[in-house]
Amino acid sequence: MASPTEFGLFIGGKWTMPPHARRFETINPTNRESVGSFVSGTADDARAAVAAAQAAFRGWRDTPAPKRGEILLEAARRMKQQKGTLGRIVTQEMGKVLSEGLGDVQEAIDFLEYMAGEGRRLFGETVPSELRNKFCMTVRQPKGVVVCITPWNFPTAIPNWKMAAALISGNTVVFKPASATSRCGAEVVRIYEEAGLPPGVVNLVTGSGGVVGNALVEDPHVRTVSFTGGVAAGRDVYVRGAQGLKMVHLELGGKNPVILMDDADLSLALDGVLFGAFGTAGQRCTATSRLIVQAKVYDEFLGKLTDRLDRFRVGDPLDPATGMGPVASSDQETKILEYIEIGRSEATLRYGGHKLTGGAYDRGYFLEPTIFETRHGTRISKEEIFGPVLSVIRVADYDEAVRVANDVEYGLSSAIYTRDVNRAFRAIRDLEAGITYVNAPTIGAEVQLPFGGIKHTGNGGREAGSAAIEEFTEIKSVFIDFSSKLQKAQIDSETAA
Ligand code: NAP
């Protein structure tokens, strides 16, 4: 690294600054100041990083998993020490309020600690043999070189979800962070380096998805790709990976509903909906983007919600009084404003709907929290907006609520507010989603449970929890015959009977 804000690539344990490389900057969405300068990696850089990861693989694979865990634990310890600084960098680079920036880093710490412990588990199975004097078991083996491609909205948590699970399993990694949050990505890698990861075990290549991402996904030495992002890029990565018969793990978008039944605790739901819809300016894959409300409490709840928004502050995300910072970039702002226009044409604007201007707002990308009242089936009620825009839909009863909740292409998170325990359990069964909350909003995952979705949200894998290990290991079945003679399965056991 040449200066704290000028970063190179990290390949084979060295920060390299290709002298004639093109560079790009990341921009603070609060004031458009530069947060860091990065190398626009090339396809050759990507291939060099894969080669470094491949060279490091044997040594890392043969390092006992508990020892690998000690390095992850050291990374967690360093991240804890630097949590304040890192949380501010998250806030500066992507705009979420500081408490959420710190939460992002805390999630990374939690997962590093969790995975460090996993180094003493990595369970296989032992099962009985059908033959005498024969032993049957499975062992987990790493896959080899793993590519991790991540989005900008959880710029320290998601890279650690992927890398910590890949590393404890014995894989080596090439990491391509979202371009918009390259600084956060580089800081995470710096901490891994300081924690003592051997050279080549983690490599960082910054640069565009179309160049670096494609080259990584297509490299024949890469066995597994772990991708989190939007459906369009995810589909592209899936198709490219399929050409090389790679394992491609996708975590994609969401259109997450909160169902509010008429027996709900409305003040509890109010806090939850506000946090779920407008936390991180609605730029969470699990954000509450649809509020499905039973008719009897519809008017009362919407009135309370808009009253609360009157007191909700949008502004500097480093100021503790701020409820919502800017959206993450100019592109985000443009896309969200386009959806707000679509909403105006097909639904009733109930709150907000504008870009904020004047004073400090003019320096960044600030939008009003926005609420539309809509029927189910409009574009704003079905497509992922990924911004502070909530669609509210009135329904008659539980059955209609579930029908509406499920009638979207995504299936990530879901929630129901009700005091009826029977209905809560029906919702757990009926909602088509990888995650269901009862009496809590659609956000708030904890690292010890699997995270992921169904339908177009993903392709069946899960991050976090011990399920993450499945993504990064192959299972080998092992048969040990200690009978000192040839025993034939299916044949000898038949004869013996
Ligand atoms: P994105 O545009 O799809 O980008 C995600 C990552 O993929 C970035 O690193 C991007 O690089 C890279 N990329 C883009 N095109 C690529 C290609 N053709 N080949 C390889 N890599 C490519 O998504 P985003 O805007 O960063 O993130 C928002 C999306 O992520 C939302 O849809 C959200 O729901 C989803 N998300 C899902 C989860 C989940 O766990 N399900 C969690 C968080 C976010 P560049 O930055 O250089 O373009």
Side-chain angles (χ1 to χ4, degrees), residues 150 152-153 176 178-179 209 214 227-230 236 252-253 285 384 451:
T150 57
W152 44 262
N153 68 329
K176 193 213 95 60
S179 294
N214 283 353
F227 174 91
T228 299
D236 188 49
L252 309 176
C285 51
E384 185 184 48
F451 182 95

Side-chain angles (χ1 to χ4, degrees), residues 72-397:
L72 296 189
L73 205 53
E74 177 60 16
R77 194 184 67 78
R78 285 169 183 265
M79 222 173 263
K80 253 185 221 167
Q81 277 173 348
Q82 300 172 44
K83 181 176 164 185
T85 310
L86 289 169
R88 284 180 81 86
I89 292 173
V90 170
T91 292
Q92 283 163 353
E93 201 167 43
M94 73 71 62
K96 62 175 80 172
V97 294
L98 184 57
S99 59
E100 293 176 350
L102 293 168
D104 197 311
V105 178
Q106 186 59 47
E107 199 167 335
I109 295 166
D110 292 345
F111 197 58
L112 282 165
E113 288 178 346
Y114 181 86
M115 277 295 147
E118 198 59 40
R120 289 191 181 270
R121 290 188 288 262
L122 290 178
F123 293 132
E125 289 179 282
T126 59
V127 291
S129 169
E130 65 189 47
L131 295 163
R132 291 172 195 273
N133 298 324
K134 193 173 173 189
F135 187 83
C136 302
M137 67 178 174
T138 63
V139 291
R140 289 191 176 276
Q141 298 195 311
K143 297 193 166 205
V145 177
V146 164
V147 162
C148 301
I149 301 178
T150 57
W152 44 262
N153 68 329
F154 275 87
T156 65
I158 292 178
N160 278 284
W161 280 18
K162 294 186 186 305
M163 290 196 283
L167 292 172
I168 199 67
S169 304
N171 303 284
T172 53
V173 170
V174 181
F175 168 38
K176 193 213 95 60
S179 294
T181 49
S182 297
R183 171 83 187 267
C184 291
E187 297 287 353
V188 167
V189 169
R190 177 183 59 75
I191 286 177
Y192 278 10
E193 178 194 16
E194 288 169 7
L197 265 193
V201 172
V202 165
N203 305 275
L204 169 80
V205 187
T206 48
S208 87
V211 176
V212 175
N214 283 353
L216 291 174
V217 173
E218 287 171 3
D219 192 299
H221 304 294
V222 169
R223 291 309 317 145
T224 291
V225 177
S226 181
F227 174 91
T228 299
V231 166
R235 187 177 279 122
D236 188 49
V237 167
Y238 203 21
V239 169
R240 282 174 201 279
Q243 296 296 329
L245 298 180
K246 296 171 202 281
M247 192 344 235
V248 178
H249 172 197
L250 300 173
E251 292 290 341
L252 309 176
K255 190 72 184 173
N256 314 290
V258 161
I259 294 176
L260 187 67
M261 301 308 299
D262 61 16
D263 67 340
D265 177 338
L266 294 192
S267 55
L268 176 70
L270 196 54
D271 289 337
V273 170
L274 272 172
F275 185 45
F278 303 116
T280 319
Q283 302 165 116
R284 292 187 185 218
C285 51
T286 51
T288 303
S289 49
R290 295 181 294 153
L291 174 62
I292 300 167
V293 192
Q294 204 170 359
K296 199 168 139 200
V297 291
Y298 183 96
D299 291 329
E300 180 187 354
F301 189 77
L302 218 54
K304 284 179 193 283
L305 189 59
T306 52
D307 285 352
R308 279 285 290 276
L309 283 178
D310 285 341
R311 285 175 277 129
F312 188 74
R313 228 171 96 185
V314 180
D316 178 0
L318 290 173
D319 179 343
T322 298
M324 187 175 101
V327 297
S329 64
S330 157
D331 284 354
Q332 270 295 100
E333 184 183 86
T334 304
K335 191 189 79 175
I336 297 162
L337 286 171
E338 280 169 13
Y339 266 110
I340 289 175
E341 280 314 302
I342 292 167
R344 284 178 199 277
S345 69
E346 62 181 6
T348 305
L349 180 65
R350 173 70 186 248
Y351 197 91
H354 302 98
K355 175 173 168 56
L356 287 159
T357 54
Y361 286 140
D362 288 338
R363 292 200 289 275
Y365 309 115
F366 293 93
L367 299 178
E368 286 179 322
T370 296
I371 296 179
F372 283 102
E373 291 182 77
T374 181
R375 64 180 168 79
H376 171 60
T378 53
R379 283 186 63 190
I380 55 162
S381 71
K382 296 193 85 167
E383 296 175 18
E384 185 184 48
I385 299 174
F386 217 54
V389 181
L390 177 67
S391 292
V392 187
I393 304 162
R394 185 194 299 257
V395 292
D397 54 23

